[in-house]
Amino acid sequence: MFIAKKRARFGLKFFVVCEVGTGYIADFLIYTGNGTVYNPKFANYPVSTVLHLMDRFLGQGYCVTMDNYYMSPQLADILISERTDLYGTVNKMRKDLPPNFAKEKIPKGDVLAYQRGKVMALKWQDKKSVFLMSIQFIMQVPVW
């Protein structure tokens, strides 16, 4: 990889699945650009990196936590069908989030949440807005 603004501009890009308690690396993938080989079972999915790494854990009730780079409502729908929980931050501009979700103004410390089936999208206001998505939910919130 070449990233012009980094101090070390050349490097390797790894995608890693780790166990949260110990940091044990369960699986990894070295990114090689367009030549990266993914599991053919997930070739038609735009979130194939996550599904490739999670393949042996899907359908066993595990929980995946990730940042907003990969999190999306589409991935949440796929993981629901695979009986896998999901938590993490989500990019406010992702397709299929509730309409005006990012633009709604709420006071500092308040929470705005929407639910679609088992998927919950949540906005928490601190100094800046924090956007989260989860498959599990514990309260009833407006449907989007």
Side-chain angles (χ1 to χ4, degrees), residues 82-142:
E82 296 288 344
R83 295 183 319 120
T84 304
D85 290 341
L86 175 69
Y87 301 96
T89 57
V90 65
N91 185 326
K92 66 182 178 182
M93 303 309 288
R94 284 283 184 185
K95 192 170 80 172
D96 296 333
L97 281 175
N100 297 320
F101 182 57
K103 295 178 184 176
E104 291 186 52
K105 301 286 185 199
I106 58 175
K108 184 176 179 178
D110 275 7
V111 173
L112 174 68
Y114 290 92
Q115 177 183 330
R116 176 180 48 93
K118 291 186 176 184
V119 180
M120 182 180 70
L122 183 133
K123 177 181 180 179
W124 173 62
Q125 188 64 43
D126 194 28
K127 288 182 181 178
K128 293 184 176 182
S129 297
V130 179
F131 300 90
L132 306 166
M133 185 174 288
S134 170
I135 288 181
Q136 288 191 336
F137 56 90
I138 51 177
M139 59 183 168
Q140 291 290 57
V141 294

Side-chain angles (χ1 to χ4, degrees), residues 3-72:
I3 303 173
K5 294 186 179 186
K6 292 263 186 176
R7 186 176 199 175
R9 297 185 305 228
F10 294 94
L12 298 174
K13 187 173 189 175
F14 285 83
F15 298 103
V16 182
V17 173
C18 295
E19 195 276 326
V20 71
T22 63
Y24 173 80
I25 296 176
D27 201 357
F28 70 94
L29 176 69
I30 300 173
Y31 180 73
T32 58
N34 289 339
T36 305
V37 179
Y38 297 104
N39 187 333
K41 182 163 98 173
F42 305 114
N44 297 328
Y45 295 107
V47 290
S48 57
T49 303
V50 174
L51 296 173
H52 172 86
L53 290 171
M54 291 299 302
D55 186 31
R56 65 182 168 158
F57 304 108
L58 295 175
Q60 297 180 29
Y62 283 98
C63 174
V64 180
T65 304
M66 66 182 73
D67 65 7
N68 64 8
Y69 188 74
Y70 289 104
M71 182 71 81
S72 70

